[in-house]
Amino acid sequence: MAATGIAPDGDPDACRWIAVRNQSRQVHVVATLAREDGSLHNAYRDAFRLQTECHQLAAELGHLPTAPHPIPHAQEAHVPAPSITITAEPSGSVSAKGASDDLSATLLKHAGFQQIEDWYGRRHRLPTTTPAADRAAIATHAAEMLRAGRYGVDLDPSLDTARISTTTSPLGPYTAGAELLQLTDRIRSAGNGADLLQAVDHLLHPEHGALERIREALEAAGEQITDLDDEAYQLADRFDVAAEFVSAAQSELVGSDGELGRIGDGQRSGTAAWERSSALSGPRSATLATSPAAAKVTSVLGAGAADTSASVRPSQAPGPRTR
């Protein structure tokens, strides 16, 4: 009992045990694993310690011809630990099998598993009502703790959050880019104007659209550059100009939701399309003129380029756009 640590010498709170001698060379020892102070005894590698101690006792009593060679500590450290398998069952539950000692059972219960002991032995399981996201998180956390305790763990790939996140994110850590890529696919697959309007709204919404978020991010990057380094004002200005270009794009597309909703109805004539384009050209030009970003773009391109753009744009309105 002292060799295993179940009842060390001089420990009043040790586990209680009893030894029963049945024959001249046979003694049965029964011990509880719950200590008197309320904690549990860690039974990991107790079998190895018991075997070593029994060999020494048998050699001292003359029951063996020679004492066994002591096993070096380096060899003891390489003895494989028990392997535990965590799998997802068809019923929707998650089970952990192979946790036969108290330490692994305690780690699994700490992670959220419930212990079951029946004719199949000791098992641990998550309730079937556990949400799918929580199942993977609990199973992965349990596997991490068991591996830290030097247990071999075979974790179902469907419960490994690292593999799940890699599978669901084709662009890796660039989750924002992956979402915009999905939005692009949704725009390309739009079957009518209504579907296209719903998809494009994720870009053009004045408060929550992707363009507004990009504009805010560019402005924040410019401000942060200035806060970190006053000498890097030129780089900060470049981010500010980029944010103003995005603002100009937003101004250019103001009111386009109404036109998107009417795309594909097949009832518009060429004359009606021309009149509508002429009616919208005035407000759109006024919007761009009042936009500080548009003013900067005009100043960069030059007045001649702006006049040329204004003179060419109406000629593109009458007919449908060709690819």
Side-chain angles (χ1 to χ4, degrees), residues 8 20 27 101 151 159 201 210 280:
V20 180
V27 177
D101 60 290
Y151 289 92
L159 300 174
D201 183 61
L280 292 174

Side-chain angles (χ1 to χ4, degrees), residues 262-279:
R262 292 189 296 270
I263 287 179
D265 55 11
Q267 302 297 326
R268 293 178 298 171
S269 63
T271 303
W274 167 257
E275 293 175 353
R276 185 177 300 107
S277 177
S278 300

Side-chain angles (χ1 to χ4, degrees), residues 217-276:
L218 290 172
E219 287 185 351
E223 295 174 357
Q224 189 67 14
I225 291 172
T226 304
D227 293 340
L228 295 176
D229 188 357
D230 294 337
E231 300 298 329
Y233 60 89
Q234 293 183 349
L235 179 60
D237 289 343
R238 290 169 61 188
F239 277 88
D240 292 339
V241 171
E244 291 173 357
F245 271 105
V246 176
S247 179
Q250 291 176 286
S251 301
E252 172 68 19
L253 297 173
V254 168
S256 61
D257 52 350
E259 297 178 77
L260 287 172
R262 292 189 296 270
I263 287 179
D265 55 11
Q267 302 297 326
R268 293 178 298 171
S269 63
T271 303
W274 167 257
E275 293 175 353
R276 185 177 300 107

Side-chain angles (χ1 to χ4, degrees), residues 168-185:
T168 56
S169 299
L171 301 184
Y174 301 100
T175 56
E179 293 179 0
L180 288 176
L181 184 61
Q182 293 177 0
L183 179 59
T184 302
D185 295 338

Side-chain angles (χ1 to χ4, degrees), residues 13-225:
D13 295 328
C15 302
R16 294 296 179 256
W17 60 277
I18 184 174
V20 180
R21 181 176 181 178
N22 297 333
Q23 299 178 10
S24 59
R25 295 188 178 183
Q26 185 179 74
V27 177
H28 287 174
V29 180
V30 181
T32 63
L33 296 180
R35 293 171 51 85
E36 291 298 308
D37 56 7
S39 61
L40 294 177
H41 167 68
N42 182 8
Y44 178 59
R45 298 188 60 77
D46 274 1
F48 176 84
R49 298 186 181 94
L50 284 172
Q51 185 180 19
T52 303
E53 188 69 17
C54 288
H55 274 286
Q56 293 179 358
L57 290 174
E60 292 176 0
L61 296 175
H63 296 166
L64 295 177
T66 56
H69 297 287
I71 299 178
H73 181 72
Q75 296 182 12
E76 177 183 349
H78 289 84
V79 175
S83 179
I84 300 173
T85 303
I86 303 178
T87 57
E89 298 180 351
S91 62
S93 178
V94 177
S95 64
K97 301 178 181 178
S100 57
D101 60 290
D102 293 334
L103 177 59
S104 60
T106 302
L107 293 176
L108 287 169
K109 288 188 288 185
H110 179 73
F113 282 79
Q114 296 179 354
Q115 182 171 312
I116 301 173
E117 293 192 21
D118 50 19
W119 54 86
Y120 292 108
R122 177 184 290 182
R123 294 172 297 143
H124 295 81
R125 176 178 295 175
L126 289 179
T128 55
T129 56
T130 306
D134 293 343
R135 292 180 214 158
I138 294 174
T140 302
H141 180 55
E144 291 174 353
M145 290 193 298
L146 289 169
R147 287 166 180 161
R150 297 184 179 180
Y151 289 92
V153 181
D154 184 10
L155 180 61
D156 194 324
S158 62
L159 300 174
D160 192 342
T161 55
R163 296 188 181 184
I164 294 174
S165 60
T166 302
T167 303
T168 56
S169 299
L171 301 184
Y174 301 100
T175 56
E179 293 179 0
L180 288 176
L181 184 61
Q182 293 177 0
L183 179 59
T184 302
D185 295 338
R186 181 179 172 185
I187 291 174
R188 289 173 175 169
S189 62
N192 52 54
D195 294 342
L196 183 59
L197 175 60
Q198 292 180 356
V200 174
D201 183 61
H202 290 275
L203 285 174
L204 305 183
H205 193 278
E207 296 182 5
H208 310 298
L211 287 180
E212 178 62 18
R213 297 284 85 85
I214 292 174
R215 185 192 64 79
E216 291 179 351
L218 290 172
E219 287 185 351
E223 295 174 357
Q224 189 67 14
I225 291 172

